[in-house]
Every structure is written in structure tokens, then in C-alpha cells.
Amino acid sequence: MNARTIEASQNFKQYIVPKKFEYSSLKGLMFVRTFLEKEDSKEVAPDSLYNQARILGFQKGNDWSLGLILGPILMGAVLTFMSIIFFGVWLYSQFTSTPESFPFWFVLPAIGFNIFFLNFRPILARYILPRREVYFDRINQTVSFTWSVDNAQKNEHGHATFPFSEIEAFYAKANHSQGHGVTHAMYVAHKDYGNHAGAFSEIRVKDNPQNPNYCRYTWERVVRFMDLSKPLVDSPEIEPFRHLDPVTRDFDKQNNRPEKYWRLMSYKQMQQIEEKLDNDIYRFNFDGAITNPKRWANEEITKPWEKWPIDESLNQPDTTPYWKRLTKTLLRQIAVGV
């Protein structure tokens, strides 16, 4: 599935699977994966919207297109559940005086549905559905909306575009609490929205957080990304693109940054780092850092390879037998199409 389309959080686990990172799971029945790997291996052009050293994009909150991508997963799970019921009824009938015939008429279409969307969903997300994003251009210092906006200039991609200085951000209590109490959502909008209707979007942050710090952190991430006086933040999703940003490329060369630091790190160690940073964000005194930065502001981590050396003891190969991993992959793909 296209990671740019389903981005929903700042979690590291969202960053070790998107484009430009090596595939690690088994293909199984995902036949289109061969094509995707070929496409993802191509060098990203500096002016491409997929150049994450230049473009920081966020999926439009509550976007209808997500239903077309995630809906078939839920439907596939329902069909699989019903298939299990049909199979149980058939199996029970074999021990009665009136055995039923195997329900091929339902089980096979359910399996076919999941396999079809397993292969069609990535194509749908990448090439068919319209891009529904608000994205920040580090080089041009602009903010663009991929939908129609009144009285807007268009960039080279045909999207409504404004100077970054004309955009403001805020957060508010959200109604989609999903049973977890009051949550907060982040929004970006043009300062003169009355004259630029449509220049507004909800920015999806970490799981509709109860703590507004995640909204504040997301905007801080945007502001830091747009700061041309500094190299890009050293995070996993940007690593394959760092050489495309001149300031970052010079910084990495001067400091002998390992080329594949994050990509050579184990997932287990990434989880440990993520948990620590997540706790820091949750407890961070944003208000204090604004009014008294010398006391409350944290020093930026510019050399994570020195702070968190790769722990080789955690970087052990998966010794699970191939047949077990393949069976698990096939069952998941047949059951829910992912």
C-alpha cells in the first residue's frame, strides 16, 4: 500500500516500509509487487513530489479516498469470517445423514476478492485515486493544496500554491474520539481564508491524540523542515533522499554520516528509540519552551548515529523457517487481502 496515501502518524514503524526502503516481507500472492519494486528502485528526481528531502506531505484528514483503499480490507475480513461459518456448517453436515456439498460458490469468490484487492489496491492508491494532500515545499518555501482553492496561483504540478508565510496552523478538540475521550486534531489554513476558500485541511497526527502535544510537535516538525538554514532532521523516512538537499548533503559529508544508518538498524531498536521519543513528546513543556527556551527547550539531536549506535545484538536474522513465514503471509493475504 502506498505509504504517502495512508500516512497517519509520526511513528517510526510508518517510516521503515515506504518507498525507497528495501522490501523485507514475502511476496506470497502479491504478484504486482515485482512491478512496484521496479518502480520504487528508480532514482527520484529532485523536483518530484516523492522527493522527501524537498516535499513534506500530509494526507487530507477524513479523506473519502481512504475508504476506497481501506474499505476492501474490512469487507475481505467479513467475507472470510462468513466463509469460515459456511465451512463449519459444511464440516458439521458431513457427520449427519444429509451431508452438504462444499460451498465453493461462496468460499472461492471470497478468496478471489481478497487476492484481487491485494494486487489492485497499491495500483489504485498510486495511480488512480487523486492525490489528496497538503504539502510543504522546502526549496520554494511554499504550501500547496492538491484540490481546488479560490484565487490561488498554481505551481509546476498544477496545484494551488501559497507562500509559507501566508499559512497558519492551529489545533482544536475533535469530535472523532472513537471511545478514547477527548482528542485533538491539527489544522492548517490560509490566513485570508475568506478570499481563498478551500485552503484548509485537517492534518492527521498520532492516532487522534488526547494530548495536544502531538499537534504542536507536528507543526514544529513542519517549521523545522522549512528552515533552510539547517540540514534536514535526521529521521528514517528522509534518509534515502538526504543527498538531494544541498545543505543536508554538505552536513552529512562534513560529519561522516553513515549512508544507511537507519536502514541497517533493527526494527526492535527502532521501536525502543520511538518509545523514548514518544514519551518525551508526551511530557514536553511546549509553553515553557516558548516563554523560557533556555530552561525548557531541548537540544536538537543532529547526530543520532552517535547518540544511538546500532546495537548488533538486536540485529539478528529471522530464524523462523521459511515455510512458517510463507504460510503466515499466505493466510493473511487470503483472509484480509493485505
Side-chain angles (χ1 to χ4, degrees):
M1 193 179 298
N2 188 344
R4 288 182 66 83
T5 301
I6 64 171
E7 182 195 10
S9 74
Q10 312 307 321
N11 295 359
F12 278 13
K13 60 177 174 289
Q14 296 290 337
Y15 291 155
I16 64 175
V17 290
K19 288 184 57 166
K20 305 307 292 181
F21 281 85
E22 291 82 354
Y23 290 95
S24 59
S25 60
L26 299 174
K27 287 188 179 72
L29 298 172
M30 190 177 182
F31 309 113
V32 74
R33 172 109 151 246
T34 301
F35 168 74
L36 297 179
E37 288 177 340
K38 184 177 180 180
E39 287 293 307
D40 291 349
S41 65
K42 295 179 180 178
E43 184 67 24
V44 173
D47 60 347
S48 169
L49 291 178
Y50 290 102
N51 174 12
Q52 295 185 45
R54 174 177 176 176
I55 302 296
L56 176 60
F58 294 91
Q59 178 74 15
K60 180 179 174 63
N62 299 322
D63 184 23
W64 59 267
S65 65
L66 288 175
L68 296 180
I69 298 172
L70 303 178
I73 298 177
L74 177 60
M75 185 176 295
V78 172
L79 291 175
T80 299
F81 178 73
M82 294 178 65
S83 297
I84 294 174
I85 293 177
F86 277 115
F87 178 80
V89 172
W90 168 80
L91 185 63
Y92 173 78
S93 72
Q94 303 308 301
F95 299 96
T96 66
S97 58
T98 57
E100 299 285 344
S101 59
F102 188 82
F104 291 102
W105 58 273
F106 186 88
V107 173
L108 292 184
I111 294 175
F113 176 88
N114 285 329
I115 294 177
F116 171 76
F117 274 99
L118 171 70
N119 289 275
F120 179 67
R121 189 181 301 109
I123 298 175
L124 177 68
R126 292 192 184 198
Y127 307 111
I128 299 178
L129 289 177
R131 179 186 295 271
R132 302 284 290 175
E133 283 186 338
V134 53
Y135 61 89
F136 300 83
D137 188 325
R138 172 176 164 91
I139 300 301
N140 290 333
Q141 291 291 292
T142 57
V143 182
S144 300
F145 301 84
T146 61
W147 51 88
S148 177
V149 175
D150 291 349
N151 305 314
Q153 298 291 326
K154 299 293 183 66
N155 63 9
E156 66 270 30
H157 302 288
H159 299 147
T161 301
F162 302 94
F164 179 52
S165 59
E166 296 181 6
I167 301 298
E168 62 183 358
F170 60 95
Y171 66 88
K173 293 180 180 178
N175 294 323
H176 39 71
S177 61
Q178 300 176 343
H180 299 292
V182 175
T183 61
H184 297 82
M186 175 183 165
Y187 304 89
V188 294
H190 195 281
K191 295 178 180 178
D192 185 12
Y193 184 77
N195 192 41
H196 300 291
F200 173 88
S201 179
E202 177 183 341
I203 298 295
R204 302 176 65 204
V205 296
K206 182 181 174 64
D207 302 324
N208 298 329
Q210 293 176 301
N211 189 331
N213 271 8
Y214 294 104
C215 298
R216 294 164 170 168
Y217 159 72
T218 300
W219 183 244
E220 183 177 89
R221 179 186 173 209
V222 171
V223 173
R224 177 62 179 78
F225 178 84
M226 298 293 279
D227 188 347
L228 286 172
S229 68
K230 299 178 181 179
L232 292 164
V233 170
D234 201 328
S235 56
E237 86 284 10
I238 295 178
E239 183 176 78
F241 308 92
R242 293 179 66 87
H243 66 284
L244 296 176
D245 181 72
V247 176
T248 306
R249 183 175 60 244
D250 292 343
F251 174 86
D252 290 351
K253 185 177 180 179
Q254 293 170 8
N255 291 277
N256 296 317
R257 183 194 184 278
E259 181 182 358
K260 292 187 176 183
Y261 166 68
W262 293 110
R263 283 169 285 181
L264 294 177
M265 182 181 290
S266 68
Y267 179 54
K268 187 172 183 179
Q269 186 176 358
M270 271 193 173
Q271 287 180 306
Q272 293 176 353
I273 295 173
E274 178 189 14
E275 182 178 356
K276 180 182 184 305
L277 295 179
D278 190 64
N279 290 334
D280 288 345
I281 293 172
Y282 188 86
R283 295 178 173 83
F284 186 69
N285 185 352
F286 272 91
D287 294 331
I290 293 173
T291 58
N292 191 351
K294 290 185 178 180
R295 178 181 179 185
W296 296 107
N298 290 338
E299 183 178 355
E300 182 177 336
I301 301 171
T302 58
K303 300 179 182 179
W305 62 91
E306 294 181 357
K307 183 176 180 61
W308 301 301
I310 293 179
D311 187 345
E312 295 295 345
S313 66
L314 299 176
N315 203 8
Q316 300 299 321
D318 187 358
T319 58
T320 306
Y322 175 79
W323 69 268
K324 285 187 177 181
R325 293 189 291 118
L326 180 60
T327 300
K328 181 179 179 180
T329 298
L330 293 176
L331 289 176
R332 185 187 71 247
Q333 292 177 342
I334 292 173
V336 292
V338 295

